[in-house]
Amino acid sequence: MTEPKIGVVGIPGKWSTETLADALEARTGFRYIIDMADVCLDLTDRALWHKGVNLCELDGLIVKKISAEYSPHTLDRLEMLRVAEAEGVQVFSGAENIIRLVDRLSCTITLSNAGIPMPPTCVTEDHDAAFEAVKRFGSAVFKPLFSTKARGMCVLEATTSDANLRKGIEDFTVLNPVMYLQKKMDLSGQDLGMVFLAGNYLGTYARVSQSQSWNTTIESGGKYAPFEPTAELIDLAQRAQAPFGLDFTTVDVALTPDGPIVFEVSAFGGFKGALEGAGLEVAGLYADHAISKVTS
């Protein structure tokens, strides 16, 4: 059998995308990066074209990043990949599985239905209900339904004046008519990324805050660090990722005074945190996994 042709759906020039393409090239001699902004779906011919290449003729596609920022349009790009799947291309992770994670509410409801501990959460379009939730929580993080790395999030406090609190709610709903808000938890300055490949646990890294920011993201100055979880934490993350059936993911876990909670299961997972914080070269592991699937 000839070496498989597996493309990488991602963002050209970005470290994770390029690293994954490098790993595939080293193993198969084939290197191909696809920016979904340049893809054209022709349903008449059942073809998915990218710069003259029909992606439906590849053996596999690894989705490292579907777009630079999440939005409802991200779902449209994933729907296009379903055509490639129907034509026999193996997509990692499956398009429908990723779709269930890109929308924050879909991810949250799946986790809640599975009995996974999460921060107290309220979802509403009603301003009065949001106002009462902030008062009940004391402090709440308002999150867009489509975002990554804390983009578009804000914190509203119950201690502010009622007028300013209502103004903050109104400002948030200009771009987010459906409000998703969670009680702001005491994270003790860090949270965890717990890494899984094909449902198997690989390792854990911490994101440690280096500032007074309420979140620990690298964009807000956080740093990656090693972390050794307990068996109970590994079991929690294992149960959290299981309903989604992803080929690769990280589970975002936080340790609070009331016990561990899960924030989300990532649609794509972070390569850099795994490398810098846990010493895991997951690009190579992921490439090996995809190659074994398309050649079996």
Side-chain angles (χ1 to χ4, degrees), residues 95-117:
E96 289 190 16
N97 295 356
I98 297 176
I99 286 171
R100 296 173 61 206
L101 283 167
V102 170
D103 182 332
R104 175 171 278 110
L105 182 54
S106 176
C107 176
T108 296
I109 289 175
T110 300
L111 289 171
S112 180
N113 287 349
I116 302 301

Side-chain angles (χ1 to χ4, degrees), residues 13 71 92 103 122 139 157 175 213 237 239 263 289:
S71 76
F92 307 93
D103 182 332
C122 174
S139 181
E157 306 282 355
L175 296 177
S213 174
R239 289 188 290 112
F263 280 117
H289 167 72

Side-chain angles (χ1 to χ4, degrees), residues 33 37 48 69 85 148 175 191 266:
I33 294 175
L48 197 60
E69 296 184 5
E85 286 180 313
T148 60
L175 296 177
D191 66 351
S266 171

Side-chain angles (χ1 to χ4, degrees), residues 131-142:
F131 178 87
E132 292 302 325
V134 176
K135 290 292 188 179
R136 186 167 66 252
F137 293 161
S139 181
V141 183
F142 282 65

